[in-house]
């Protein structure tokens, strides 16, 4: 089950009000993918899209800079809004990733692009891998300045799924000495086995045998 609350949102970009269903919580299968995909479409509702200006965000109450407002009005952004290759869900996730990059929030950008990857993969879009590569790029930027085991594990799995096996094993080996949690270590060792087998498929945590 997923729970929502209806709220009137004042868009931090254009200042116009719109009614949105805000995601309060969602249930996920116990058996998530190694990249943490819970296979619940409600998760895509964390990003809102202003119907007036097209501003995409997971933080509807946060003020934004004039530079970010300019990015929303840019040709690149407006062209994406008009792109019929994507439906509204795919668009808003990709646009939220793009704006997070412009806002220099690499973790948020990586996560929005990861959501876009999951969605585009589930809808058989030819653009799914491009979204994953953007998630990888931003997670790498974030990890250069931050130690975050969860994001590092997601990065390893994304690299593996994109068949970037050398980078995946290098990242896994770099992370391994810092893992103290037994469950996380088991998942990491399973990832390393998949990498050694050149396996780029989707795998679930249940396969680890915890």
């Amino acid at each position: 089950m997923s729970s929502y609350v209806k709220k009137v949102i004042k868009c931090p970009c254009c200042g116009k009000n719109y009614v949105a269903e805000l995601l309060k919580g969602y249930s996920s299968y116990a058996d998530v993918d190694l990249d943490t995909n819970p296979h619940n479409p409600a998760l895509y509702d964390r990003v809102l899209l202003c119907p007036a200006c097209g501003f995409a965000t997971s933080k509807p109450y946060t003020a934004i800079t004039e530079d970010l407002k300019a990015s929303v009005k840019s040709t690149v952004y407006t062209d994406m809004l008009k792109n019929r290759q994507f439906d509204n869900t795919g668009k808003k996730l990709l646009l939220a990733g793009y704006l997070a990059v412009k806002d220099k929030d690499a973790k948020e950008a990586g996560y929005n692009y990861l959501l876009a990857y999951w969605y585009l993969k589930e809808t058989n879009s030819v653009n799914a891998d491009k979204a994953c590569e953007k998630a990888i790029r931003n997670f790498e930027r974030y990890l250069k300045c931050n130690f975050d085991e969860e994001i590092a594990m997601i990065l390893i799995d994304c690299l593996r799924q994109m068949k970037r096996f050398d980078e995946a094993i290098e990242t896994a080996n770099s992370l391994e000495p810092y893992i103290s949690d037994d469950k996380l270590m088991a998942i990491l060792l399973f990832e390393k086995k998949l990498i050694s087998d050149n396996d780029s498929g989707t795998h679930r945590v249940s396969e680890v045998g915890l």
Side-chain angles (χ1 to χ4, degrees):
M1 290 289 293
S2 303
S3 58
Y4 295 83
V5 59
K6 186 175 287 187
K7 292 282 188 179
V8 175
I9 304 295
K10 181 178 181 179
C11 177
C13 184
C14 69
K16 294 183 179 179
N17 291 336
Y18 65 97
V19 178
E21 297 277 350
L22 296 182
L23 181 64
K24 290 177 61 181
Y26 67 94
S27 58
S28 63
Y29 301 116
D31 190 15
V32 301
D33 289 351
L34 291 176
D35 63 5
T36 71
N37 186 351
H39 295 281
N40 188 328
L43 188 57
Y44 305 134
D45 294 331
R46 77 184 290 272
V47 174
L48 301 179
L49 187 70
C50 174
C53 70
F55 176 62
T57 183
S58 63
K59 304 173 183 178
Y61 298 113
T62 302
I64 65 172
T65 65
E66 291 300 318
D67 285 345
L68 204 59
K69 291 179 182 180
S71 293
V72 175
K73 297 176 183 177
S74 69
T75 301
V76 172
Y77 196 88
T78 55
D79 283 352
M80 181 62 196
L81 270 176
K82 299 174 185 176
N83 192 333
R84 295 184 179 181
Q85 195 174 6
F86 304 97
D87 63 15
N88 284 340
T89 300
K91 281 182 186 178
K92 72 177 184 179
L93 298 174
L94 291 168
L95 290 171
Y98 174 82
L99 290 178
V101 172
K102 291 295 183 181
D103 203 33
K104 296 180 173 60
D105 188 342
K107 183 178 181 181
E108 178 72 6
Y111 191 64
N112 285 330
Y113 280 127
L114 181 65
L115 291 178
Y117 171 54
W118 294 343
Y119 180 76
L120 295 174
K121 184 167 61 170
E122 288 164 5
T123 54
N124 299 313
S125 171
V126 296
N127 294 287
D129 285 359
K130 292 180 182 178
C132 189
E133 291 290 354
K134 290 181 179 180
I136 288 170
R137 187 154 56 247
N138 283 284
F139 284 146
E140 287 176 335
R141 287 172 181 163
Y142 169 69
L143 290 169
K144 282 182 179 179
C145 303
N146 301 274
F147 178 72
D148 189 321
E149 292 178 348
E150 181 180 354
I151 296 299
M153 292 291 289
I154 293 172
L155 173 61
I156 291 165
D157 196 66
C158 287
L159 287 168
R160 182 186 59 78
Q161 290 186 58
M162 293 298 102
K163 301 181 180 180
R164 294 166 62 173
F165 299 115
D166 289 344
E167 294 164 87
I169 195 63
E170 181 180 352
T171 305
N173 288 337
S174 297
L175 178 63
E176 187 171 353
Y178 301 98
I179 299 294
S180 56
D181 180 79
D182 290 343
K183 180 178 178 180
L184 204 59
M185 180 60 78
I187 295 173
L188 181 64
L189 294 176
F190 182 68
E191 284 278 15
K192 291 179 70 172
K193 175 64 168 58
L194 294 174
I195 295 166
S196 68
D197 291 339
N198 287 346
D199 186 336
S200 62
T202 299
H203 291 272
R204 297 199 168 186
V205 171
S206 62
E207 297 177 55
V208 179
L210 297 172

